[in-house]
Amino acid sequence: MAVVSICKDLSQHAMITYSLLSDVELPFEGVSKKESVQIKSSVLRTNNENLIHNAVMDGMGLAFLPTWLIEDDIAAGHLERVMLDYRFPASMLYAVYTSRKYLSSKVRTFVDFIAESGQLK
């Protein structure tokens, strides 16, 4: 199936989207180039990943969720990945805290882990 028809087909599905993203266009990085999908309307818009996850599990529509959140559901056969050759462009993760003096050991460990993985800028 051609890239264009995949994007066109996706735009016809019920979508559950992040409220922080534009509801007009979703960017993808495909095998050969960058594409975008026009979303006509979302059946649900929220910035809560757990709510999106629950809505997908209840069959409300398609959504883009982080693998760590849904990997157990995929392994159990409750969810299925689609568009395996596509992904959202990488996004930045910022660690913001008031002072190192009052930084808890849990937060310090997390920040160190992310920094060592090269994901923190």
Side-chain angles (χ1 to χ4, degrees):
M1 181 179 288
V3 172
V4 175
S5 64
I6 289 174
C7 292
K8 183 179 177 184
D9 289 347
L10 184 63
S11 69
Q12 303 301 315
H13 284 280
M15 297 295 298
I16 303 163
T17 58
Y18 289 98
S19 57
L20 301 175
L21 295 175
S22 168
D23 197 35
V24 177
E25 192 172 355
L26 295 176
F28 290 98
E29 291 179 0
V31 175
S32 60
K33 60 182 177 175
K34 293 181 180 181
E35 297 287 332
S36 62
V37 177
Q38 296 289 103
I39 303 298
K40 293 182 179 174
S41 66
S42 298
V43 294
L44 175 66
R45 286 178 52 88
T46 181
N47 65 348
N48 185 312
E49 287 178 335
N50 290 321
L51 180 57
I52 295 172
H53 180 228
N54 289 338
V56 169
M57 292 296 292
D58 287 341
M60 287 182 63
L62 300 176
F64 303 97
L65 289 165
T67 303
W68 61 264
L69 181 62
I70 58 171
E71 62 192 352
D72 291 341
D73 295 313
I74 292 171
H78 301 300
L79 293 177
E80 183 177 338
R81 290 185 65 201
V82 296
M83 295 180 66
L84 297 176
D85 294 333
Y86 296 85
R87 63 183 175 92
F88 271 137
S91 59
M92 297 299 297
L93 174 64
Y94 297 92
V96 180
Y97 45 89
T98 56
S99 169
R100 290 183 182 181
K101 181 178 178 181
Y102 302 109
L103 194 61
S104 74
S105 60
K106 285 189 238 180
V107 173
R108 178 80 255 162
T109 300
F110 175 73
V111 170
D112 289 343
F113 171 76
I114 296 298
E116 288 171 11
S117 73
Q119 299 299 310
L120 190 64
K121 299 285 184 194

